[in-house]
Amino acid sequence: MPTGRPAVFLDRDDTLIANRTLPEVAGVRRGDLCDPDRVRLLPGAAEGCRLLSESGLVLVVVTNQGVVARGGGTLDDVRRTNDRLRDLLSDPARPGASMIAAVYACPFHPEGAVERFAREHPWRKPSGGMVRAASIELGIDLPTSWMIGDSARDIEAAVDAGVPRDSTILLDERAPDILSAALYVLAARAAGGEQSTVTLSLDRPGAFENERVRETVIATANALAERTGMELVEVLLDASGLRATLSGPKVVALGFGAELRRLTNGWHKARHGSNLWPEPPDVHRGGDDA
Ligand SMILES: [Mg+2]
């Protein structure tokens, strides 16, 4: 019997928000991000978090911030930066609240310059201290929880604390961002029996008159289901768009539709210069260029 709620633990830098790809700033060490104005959500982060949250998972960020030990920022800078992240991931279902239930940050680093923080610490990933602390403070059931991160130490921290290794996702080509990773989580959590549907409406009627377009959409849908373990019951195309039925609750179908839209839009844009389906409103990007 689970003793608490399942969570998905999320790494912060280069998982939820850009870090290594940000333009360099004079005087700031590459990889250090301690400025709320530089917080930019990565593609798929907001949509992926929404799907994970809707599927009943508690979202918890666990992040190493050795920048504090190095003297590149203060605890307050880290807190303000994390607050900005939480604001960008506001919860559409709960006005004023964030989808991120909590952020755990570890300011320690053994090679730090700030004496107070210049040591190893059980919270510092790959140790599982932050995940353990969250499980106690937020009532999280670790055996039914997940971890998504871009680094091996994210995975090891979760496993160290008691998250099953099978429930960890290292961002890679298979799952390059949180939206992609969320599909694997949703597929694994989808209980049998229930079915749900998602529809996508074409941006321009007539696009399916092109047989190659129709074939590509069907093939992409089947490949996506195969790759993620989602059970695609049926996919139907007509003149106005697509209707897909999957095993699992509505959030599974919504996630499938979101990723199918993204994949096939990318293909269609590269070949025909336009999207196949309208993109959703681009919210929650953050930063000056949002
Ligand atoms: Mg990272």
Side-chain angles (χ1 to χ4, degrees), residues 11-15 150-151 154:
D11 171 49
R12 192 191 82 176
D13 293 332
D14 296 314
T15 297
D150 73 311
S151 158
D154 302 324

Side-chain angles (χ1 to χ4, degrees), residues 119-132:
R119 60 183 171 92
E120 195 46 272
H121 191 278
W123 270 32
R124 205 168 85 84
K125 296 181 284 186
S127 291
M130 290 190 284
V131 174
R132 274 192 204 93

